[in-house]
Amino acid sequence: MSDGFSAIFWGVVTFSLLVVIHEGGHFMAARFFGVKVHEFMVGLPGPAIRFRGKKTTYGITAIPLGGYVRIAGMEPGPEDPQLGAALASVTRHGTANAFTVATELGIDEADADRLLLTLSDWSALEQVKDEEYTYRSTFDASLAQDEGMLLDRARSVTYRALKTWQRIVLLSMGVVLNLLTAVLVFTITLSAFGFDQPTGAIGRVGSESAAALAGIKVGDQITRVGDVQTTDFQSLVAAVATYEPGEQATVVFVRDGDTKTTSVVFGTNPETGNAQLGVSPGFEKVNPSVLEALALSFSYIGLTFVAIAGFFNPQTFTESVSQSSSVIGAAYITADAAKSGPLDYAFIVAVLSLSLGVINIFPLPPLDGGRIALEIIEKLRGRPLPRDLALGISVVGAVLLFALIGYLMFQDVSRLAAG
């Protein structure tokens, strides 16, 4: 296994790459629909190195894990009815602060400050240099007479101006780009280099193992363990898992076309303490065509979806968690893959990109699927959800998500400490 420094390095590189792909999908969709994108950042919010483009600021933060794009007009809840009046006020005065707007509109200064921050996010206002709480309108003073028209112009470059289907496209594009990246990498690597496929026959028999003591040899194909038929190595593992170490079972296998029967007393797996037969699968090299590789790539999406869906099924939750890793475990996996070579590393990047894409499909805020579900609910009810309710749903979803991530991280640390 790779050391901690190597895992940190390749973990940061890999997850930064995946974030650029995912957030790049949202970025491209926003720009296509004419929505203002303030920032495209790699890393968690905080101090950063920034590069200012014509329309967007790009950068890398001090903690390069994750990333985000900041899109204008994505604040939750219904639009504040005072936005138009606040924008018209600043536009008339040329420059204004929260006190000026609050006095003119007869509202609290805190509410005026929130209105100005929203309009600034929409790029309708810009902060006056060297005056932190004073704003300047980006519109000509002559437009201040028509609040509705003025606000429509300000809203036109925001997420709020999009139709529901456009919002769903924007929210989906991160997932789409992750899945397309995975399919592309899988298709290229599988068609160009092939892959090893289990033959169904035994490829290795451990010395002094239960299988060796029972007379099972390399090349044999096990077809039954006790009363359970086995069609491949995975079903063989599942059948053995139903026994305890020291238990005995009848095993049927095929050797050179002849069916044979033997009796096996299962050994003990030193890592898990479970029953062990002591065999490994045999493999053969397969070189699929591009179309066959493409079909295999899409089948991986279905398999990943089923695996992640196990987290949402109480009956399979424990098993799904035990077989999963957090960013810590994934960092060590990517480091090992990078050490093995570019082909293995590319394959792992594709697996992680696929996993990231599928995870974000699920309707759990703050994931993309959760945001899409809220957009559909708001469309059906004909108006936005109350701001506090929308925030509450997002907070509950975030707590559940981070609780799962925290447990997976604890599980990975325990595994590393044990071994």
Side-chain angles (χ1 to χ4, degrees):
M1 179 179 287
S2 298
D3 58 34
F5 178 79
S6 179
I8 292 172
F9 173 79
W10 284 107
V12 169
V13 169
T14 304
F15 288 111
S16 296
L17 174 61
L18 294 177
V19 164
V20 168
I21 293 171
H22 184 89
E23 298 299 331
H26 298 313
F27 173 80
M28 289 189 293
R31 293 290 289 268
F32 179 80
F33 289 129
V35 174
K36 171 71 176 178
V37 181
H38 294 290
E39 294 181 317
F40 189 143
M41 305 297 292
V42 176
L44 300 177
I49 300 173
R50 301 174 186 273
F51 309 92
R52 301 191 183 278
K54 290 183 178 180
K55 297 181 179 180
T56 303
T57 297
Y58 306 88
I60 301 175
T61 70
I63 306 177
L65 292 174
Y68 61 94
V69 289
R70 189 163 68 87
I71 297 172
M74 294 194 76
E75 63 276 359
E79 194 174 283
D80 194 304
Q82 295 278 22
L83 277 173
L87 179 55
S89 174
V90 180
T91 303
R92 274 194 302 272
H93 290 288
T95 62
N97 55 29
F99 176 78
T100 304
V101 173
T103 301
E104 183 168 332
L105 301 187
I107 60 177
D108 291 339
E109 192 170 340
D111 291 334
D113 187 55
R114 179 170 46 80
L115 292 171
L116 296 178
L117 287 174
T118 298
L119 292 168
S120 176
D121 178 69
W122 290 14
S123 295
L125 302 180
E126 57 187 15
Q127 200 168 24
V128 177
K129 188 177 181 180
D130 300 327
E131 295 186 45
E132 188 175 356
Y133 301 106
T134 302
Y135 295 89
R136 171 189 298 113
S137 176
T138 58
F139 297 99
D140 189 87
S142 62
L143 301 175
Q145 297 177 356
D146 190 338
E147 292 180 7
M149 182 270 292
L150 185 62
L151 190 61
D152 286 342
R153 286 199 179 186
R155 190 190 301 110
S156 66
V157 296
T158 72
Y159 177 82
R160 286 183 174 273
L162 300 180
K163 297 177 181 178
T164 299
W165 71 266
Q166 293 173 318
R167 295 183 182 187
I168 292 174
V169 169
L170 190 154
L171 294 170
S172 302
M173 281 306 296
V175 169
V176 170
L177 220 58
N178 276 133
L179 298 184
L180 287 178
T181 299
V183 168
L184 179 63
V185 173
F186 282 141
T187 301
I188 292 174
T189 55
L190 292 174
S191 61
F193 302 99
F195 64 97
D196 292 328
Q197 177 176 276
T199 61
I202 301 302
R204 186 189 69 82
V205 178
S207 60
E208 302 302 319
S209 67
L213 295 176
I216 296 173
K217 299 180 179 180
V218 172
D220 293 346
Q221 184 168 358
I222 297 175
T223 58
R224 181 183 293 273
V225 176
D227 295 329
V228 179
Q229 287 189 337
T230 57
T231 57
D232 52 28
F233 195 78
Q234 186 175 1
S235 61
L236 172 60
V237 171
V240 172
T242 63
Y243 291 86
E244 296 293 331
E247 283 192 295
Q248 183 174 316
T250 300
V251 173
V252 179
F253 61 94
V254 177
R255 177 183 295 166
D256 299 327
D258 296 328
T259 300
K260 299 180 180 294
T261 302
T262 187
S263 182
V264 170
V265 178
F266 294 106
T268 303
N269 187 317
E271 295 182 1
T272 65
N274 298 328
Q276 185 179 55
L277 186 57
V279 298
S280 299
F283 292 91
E284 62 181 357
K285 188 75 170 182
V286 177
N287 295 101
S289 65
V290 172
L291 290 179
E292 289 171 336
L294 182 62
L296 278 171
S297 300
F298 277 104
S299 72
Y300 293 159
I301 296 177
L303 293 174
T304 303
F305 191 93
V306 170
I308 294 175
F311 286 103
F312 298 86
N313 184 345
Q315 295 180 338
T316 58
F317 176 79
T318 302
E319 182 182 357
S320 297
V321 169
S322 66
Q323 296 176 351
S324 301
S325 294
S326 69
V327 292
I328 296 175
Y332 277 91
I333 293 172
T334 55
D336 288 340
K339 185 185 298 183
S340 298
L343 182 61
D344 286 347
Y345 178 70
F347 202 86
I348 288 298
V349 169
V351 169
L352 293 175
S353 184
L354 175 56
S355 300
L356 178 61
V358 172
I359 287 172
N360 270 281
I361 290 174
F362 284 89
L364 177 67
L367 301 177
D368 294 333
R371 295 292 304 273
I372 291 171
L374 291 179
E375 289 291 347
I376 294 174
I377 291 172
E378 291 182 343
K379 178 65 175 178
L380 292 176
R381 73 192 300 264
R383 61 189 185 280
L385 293 172
R387 184 175 185 274
D388 290 343
L389 177 59
L391 287 174
I393 293 173
S394 294
V395 168
V396 171
V399 169
L400 293 174
L401 182 63
F402 285 112
L404 176 60
I405 292 173
Y407 182 80
L408 291 176
M409 292 176 70
F410 171 77
Q411 181 176 260
D412 282 340
V413 171
S414 299
R415 288 170 180 166
L416 292 170

